[in-house]
Amino acid sequence: MKLRLNVLAKFDYILILCISILSFFGVMFIYSSGINSDGINVSSEYRKQIVWFAVGFVMMIAFTLFDYRKFKRQALYIFAGSIVVLLYTMFFGKNVNGARSWIGIRNLGIQPSEPIKLAYVIFLAWYLDRSTEEKALKRFFKSLVIMFIPMALILGQPDLGTATVYLPIFLFMCFMAGIPTRYIMLVIGIGATTSIFTILPIWQSEIAHRIIPAISVLTDRKLSIMVISAALLVTLLCIIGFAMFRKQYYYWLTYSFGIITAGLVFSIGAGHVLKPYQIQRLIVFIDPSSDSLGAGWNIIQSKIAIGSGGLWGRGFLQGTQSHYRFLPEQSTDFIFSIISEETGFAGGLILFFCFFTILLRCLTIMRKNSNRFGILIVAGILGMYFYHFCLNVGMVMGIMPVAGIPLPFLSYGGSALITNMSAIGLLMSVHSRRLDFQDNVL
């Protein structure tokens, strides 16, 4: 009896309630998305989602009962194995929607980039935990390398949406690991400037339809080389100035011009790496009406679905956008649009509350824990959930670009659902051992 009580005490029932509500909503509206205009369900996706939820629930229990500290001894092998799997997937995986990101036999397949997010979290937590005595800059660059390895392999599939998830995980974990804020802001700054310098030429040619001299610097090859060379020269001079005089303003000038230089260089690379459909997504993000019957169709129809839901929604199985097939990918990336149409603002508020509670529980678990390895794992999972939620909901509302990011626990997909439920198990494993101050467990 005492053993049973000890086992039951390991579970966080608030987290379990939240993911159960979300998963229930997911199955309901995956079912709804399969209803056609004649009121007939033509899809078996909801049945598969129920099976995956059951598998995920078992995995969640297994991760909860497993002592997460044992991952320390195997972290390197887990990460190395993950890299091998990603390499195999990139060359020999199944091609689905233009990305070679699946492996499996016949109809039974998995998307390795989903569970490998947890392997990445565990390995980065292991490194950051054991590297506290290293110099901050060295520690930061090693962490960057750890992030770029799986990120580059996933980009090679190519799967830009999933690859971007690795960045917020990195930022959240580095912040909790005590990496200086200026290094974290360096990554954010380079990412922001790269995005701006990549989008501006597209905006000029596809939206503005006129030449703007300041933006032409980014489109003219000779001018862009001159600007990059000038920015690099200023950066080098500032480095020399800081080395000679040790004045703080030289340091911050180096910092600022370094971000601008890197943003300019990476934006040129992004222009060559981005696929035509990805560029088109950026264009319709800026102005969906520029291709209302093509790439902008998803965003426009999604907004219509959300707006037509009103306060209380049209009612379960009463949505028109999904049943008349106006929404592509309606059971996966755009599941929130169907939920909003059929349950309205009230249903959306329930989902927001559940996600907010999960994020709040992550913060609570970190605050109550003293094990640095455990805190870093929770920080990575927090970053993963936060990014998925913000990007997916922002995407269907038209305030974020379409990136093929599923909504945790709601979108159709076994790999994502099982990974997210396993992550909940990891959270509960960390939380249930918060009072066990033994750091290393065999």
Side-chain angles (χ1 to χ4, degrees), residues 21-36:
I21 292 171
L22 292 172
S23 299
F24 177 71
F25 265 77
V27 171
M28 280 179 60
F29 290 98
I30 289 169
Y31 175 84
S32 179
S33 72
I35 301 292
N36 63 18

Side-chain angles (χ1 to χ4, degrees), residues 272-419:
H272 289 91
V273 171
L274 288 176
K275 305 294 181 184
Y277 73 90
Q278 292 170 335
I279 293 174
Q280 195 63 32
R281 284 177 177 179
L282 291 175
I283 294 169
V284 298
F285 164 62
I286 301 168
D287 181 14
S289 63
S290 64
D291 188 14
S292 58
L293 297 178
W297 176 266
N298 289 10
I299 297 176
I300 293 170
Q301 297 303 319
S302 177
K303 287 181 177 179
I304 292 171
I306 293 171
S308 65
L311 180 61
W312 301 108
R314 290 176 174 269
F316 183 55
L317 304 182
Q318 301 304 311
T320 56
Q321 294 300 105
S322 60
H323 298 168
Y324 286 92
R325 294 297 184 266
F326 288 115
L327 274 173
E329 308 296 337
Q330 55 191 16
S331 64
T332 53
D333 299 344
F334 287 87
I335 189 74
F336 185 77
S337 304
I338 300 175
I339 295 172
S340 296
E341 183 182 22
E342 297 190 7
T343 66
F345 178 77
L349 199 62
I350 293 172
L351 301 188
F352 271 64
F353 179 77
C354 288
F355 276 111
F356 177 76
T357 303
I358 291 172
L359 298 179
L360 194 62
R361 290 302 295 166
C362 288
L363 293 172
T364 302
I365 292 169
M366 285 193 290
R367 183 175 59 84
K368 291 185 175 181
N369 207 289
S370 60
N371 186 296
R372 185 167 51 240
F373 179 62
I375 291 171
L376 292 170
I377 287 176
V378 177
I381 294 171
L382 172 62
M384 180 179 74
Y385 285 149
F386 178 79
Y387 182 77
H388 268 272
F389 174 72
C390 290
L391 189 61
N392 182 275
V393 173
M395 175 183 77
V396 300
M397 289 181 175
I399 58 176
M400 297 288 279
V402 176
I405 293 288
L407 189 57
F409 308 106
L410 290 158
S411 294
Y412 170 75
S415 299
L417 181 59
I418 293 170
T419 298

Side-chain angles (χ1 to χ4, degrees), residues 40 43 58 161 207 276 307 385 388:
I40 301 170
S43 172
V58 172
I207 308 297
Y385 285 149
H388 268 272

